[in-house]
Amino acid sequence: MPELKEMSLQEADAMHVMPTYARQPLQVVRGEGVFVFDEKGKKYLDLTSGIAVCALGHCHPALVAAATEQIHTLWHMSNIYLTAPQAQLAEKLTQASGFDRVFFSNSGAEANEAAIKLARRYSKHKYGAHKGEIITFSHSFHGRTLATVTATAQPKYQEGIGPLPGGFRYVESMTMESVKEAITPKTCAIMIEPIQGEGGVRPVPGDFLQALRNLCNEYGLLLIFDEVQTGAGRTGEWLAWQTIGVKPDIVTMAKALAGGLPMGATMAMEDVAINFSPGTHGSTFGGNPISARTAVAVLDTVMAPGFLENVRQTGLFLQRELMTLSSSVEEISDVRGVGLMWGVELARPFAGKVMDACRERGLLVLTAGPDTVRLLPPLIITEEKLVWAVQVLGEAIAEVFEKVEEQ
Ligand SMILES: *Cc1c(COP(=O)(O)O)cnc(C)c1O
C-alpha cells in the first residue's frame, strides 16, 4: 500500500472535501457554552449557534448527560420496533407544539419532504388525484433535496441541477392578490417560513399569515409552516406560530430540536396525520434514540418555567441595542427580527466583509444574503455578552466601510 501523504488538515479539507462551502479561515476544535475555541486556543463568542442548531450553547451539561447515558444504553434500532426516547419525545414535543402526531427524520429538508408528501396525500385522498401543487414565496428557503430546493423560490439554489420536480408555484410579493392568482384547482397547500431565515431574516407580517390561514380555510388548502430555523424557542415561544397566534396545519422543525444532533420533525393534527399509513413514508435513522433522548433534554430545558420569558427579555434587549447602533451608524439600512433571531441590513452588500471583520475580533456572526448580517445567539446568552457583541459589530461595520471609502 502506498504510504499516506502527510497533509495538513487545511490541505486535506481543500483537496478531498467537495467544495460546496466557502470555508471560513477558522478551525473550531471545542465549544463551551456561548464560546468556541480554535486550534490555538483563541476564544470566539458564537452568535451563530451552528446556524440556529446549538440553541442551548455548546456542550450544555443536561444535553451531554442525556446523550452520554443513551450512548451507553442503545444507539440505534429500526423504527419497526418501539424505543423509549422516541415515544417520550413524541408525547412532549406534540404537546409543546400543539399537534397530535409527529414523523421523525434527520434534517430540515427531510422534515419538509415529509410535509410535502403528507399534504399531497391528504389532499388527494380528500379532494381527488389532481391535487398536488404547493405555493411558496420569494426569498424562501426550504432545503437542498430536489423537492425542497424546488420549493425554495430562489434561482441561485437551483442552478445546473435540473430537471427539477414539478408541483410548486412561486409568489413574488406577499399580497393576497398574488397568492389568489397563484391558486389553481391543483393547489393543495401553501408553505411559508413565519420568519424567512436564509432569505434575509424577514419576519412575515402577522396579518398576512392570518390572511393566509383564512384563505386556506376558504379554499380547502393546508397551511404549512417551515419552522426549521424559528422553532425550539428561537422567537421566545416554543414555535413561532405561538408567538404570532396563527396555527398552521403542518409544522416542520429540525435545527435546534436535538440541540446539535441530527433530528427533523413533521407535525400535524390527527385528521391530516392519518394520511401516512404503514409503508407510505419512512426513515432509517429518523427518531434515533441518541437524538431523541437529547431532544427530550432540550425540550425539558426550554419549557422549564422562566426560560422562554428570559429569551423574550433578552431578545428585546438585543433589539434595543441594535436599534441604538443603527441610529448612530448610517451604513445600517434596516434592523429586523423577533426573539433571538436578528438581521442587520447594510446599505451595501458587505455582509461577508463585516462577518470577516467580526471574526478577526473574536465574534462569530452569519450572513443572510449579500447585505444582511444575521445574529442567531444561543438562547442562554446574557445581556452583558450582547453589549460586547453589538459594540464589536459596530466597529466591524465602521472598519469595512472606511476601507471601501479609501479604495
Ligand atoms: C436550514 C433550513 C432548512 C434545511 O435544513 P437542513 O437540515 O439543512 O436540511 C429548511 N428550512 C429552513 C427554514 C431552514 O432554515
Side-chain angles (χ1 to χ4, degrees):
M1 221 174 83
E3 243 178 72
L4 262 180
K5 273 182 294 175
E6 277 288 327
M7 266 189 202
S8 72
L9 293 173
Q10 282 74 16
E11 281 170 334
D13 177 66
M15 284 183 67
H16 297 301
V17 176
M18 293 199 192
T20 58
Y21 286 94
R23 207 76 92 190
Q24 305 263 304
L26 168 63
Q27 184 197 339
V28 179
V29 296
R30 190 169 72 79
E32 190 183 323
V34 297
F35 295 108
V36 292
F37 300 83
D38 70 12
E39 76 281 12
K40 295 186 201 86
K42 184 179 170 188
K43 181 162 130 178
Y44 297 82
L45 179 64
D46 179 14
L47 296 201
T48 74
S49 308
I51 315 199
V53 170
C54 303
L56 297 178
H58 297 274
C59 299
H60 187 287
L63 274 53
V64 171
T68 306
E69 190 192 280
Q70 192 58 45
I71 281 173
H72 289 289
T73 310
L74 181 75
W75 285 32
H76 174 81
M77 258 324 268
S78 164
N79 277 313
I80 64 172
Y81 304 103
L82 169 69
T83 54
Q86 193 181 113
Q88 284 159 358
L89 176 62
E91 186 186 6
K92 290 192 184 210
L93 176 60
T94 52
Q95 200 177 352
S97 307
F99 289 89
D100 292 330
R101 288 185 186 268
V102 56
F103 174 82
F104 289 117
S105 53
N106 312 286
S107 67
E110 282 177 89
N112 288 335
E113 287 273 342
I116 293 164
K117 283 193 183 181
L118 183 61
R120 289 181 176 167
R121 286 187 65 87
Y122 168 87
S123 307
K124 287 179 199 295
H125 180 246
K126 191 161 180 188
Y127 303 108
H130 61 289
K131 288 279 182 184
E133 273 181 10
I134 296 175
I135 292 174
T136 61
F137 293 85
S138 284
H139 304 294
S140 61
F141 184 82
H142 299 297
R144 299 287 197 160
T145 60
L146 281 168
T148 58
V149 86
T150 307
T152 297
Q154 295 198 57
K156 68 172 176 182
Y157 293 112
Q158 301 173 345
E159 237 178 75
I161 56 168
L164 298 172
F168 295 93
R169 284 175 83 92
Y170 306 145
V171 168
E172 290 289 328
S173 63
M174 288 200 185
T175 64
M176 273 304 121
E177 295 74 61
S178 335
V179 178
K180 278 185 186 160
E181 258 171 43
I183 295 177
T184 75
K186 294 180 187 168
T187 308
C188 75
I190 298 175
M191 179 150 86
I192 191 165
E193 304 155 74
I195 301 157
Q196 293 182 322
E198 304 300 312
V201 192
R202 299 167 196 270
V204 179
D207 52 4
F208 182 75
L209 293 171
Q210 183 61 57
L212 285 182
R213 177 68 277 173
N214 299 345
L215 195 75
C216 285
N217 295 349
E218 189 186 332
Y219 284 77
L221 310 177
L222 292 179
L223 184 60
I224 304 170
F225 279 2
D226 176 348
E227 294 226 31
V228 168
Q229 193 160 144
T230 53
R234 178 71 37 202
T235 64
E237 295 285 352
W238 175 248
L239 287 169
W241 84 254
Q242 295 155 328
T243 304
I244 302 155
V246 176
K247 190 180 176 185
D249 300 294
I250 301 176
V251 74
T252 60
M253 294 183 70
K255 291 198 164 89
L257 179 52
L261 294 182
M263 168 154 279
T266 307
M267 285 178 272
M269 297 304 274
E270 188 71 10
D271 61 325
V272 173
I274 52 167
N275 290 278
F276 271 167
S277 51
T280 52
H281 196 43
S283 166
T284 296
F285 289 115
N288 166 280
I290 305 169
S291 293
R293 178 69 189 84
T294 309
V296 169
V298 170
L299 240 151
D300 287 345
T301 306
V302 172
M303 298 307 281
F307 188 94
L308 286 170
E309 174 58 25
N310 189 56
V311 172
R312 291 192 286 275
Q313 290 307 321
T314 313
L316 288 174
F317 180 82
L318 177 56
Q319 176 176 23
R320 282 195 298 273
E321 290 290 301
L322 291 174
M323 291 299 185
T324 307
L325 181 71
S326 82
S327 65
S328 64
V329 178
E330 62 179 63
E331 289 85 7
I332 296 177
S333 53
D334 196 15
V335 172
R336 298 183 292 263
V338 179
L340 282 173
M341 177 170 183
W342 287 88
V344 177
E345 190 185 277
L346 306 172
R348 297 171 69 179
F350 296 154
K353 289 190 170 85
V354 170
M355 175 173 72
D356 292 341
C358 284
R359 189 185 59 248
E360 279 154 20
R361 291 171 161 79
L363 174 69
L364 302 186
V365 300
L366 294 162
T367 63
D371 57 7
T372 301
V373 177
R374 178 168 42 152
L375 308 178
L376 296 167
L379 306 182
I380 56 166
I381 193 97
T382 59
E383 295 183 355
E384 182 202 351
K385 300 278 189 314
L386 289 174
V387 169
W388 181 80
V390 172
Q391 188 192 328
V392 169
L393 177 64
E395 289 168 16
I397 293 171
E399 182 195 279
V400 165
F401 278 80
E402 256 165 46
K403 267 192 194 156
V404 172
E405 301 281 285
E406 281 165 16
Q407 281 166 12

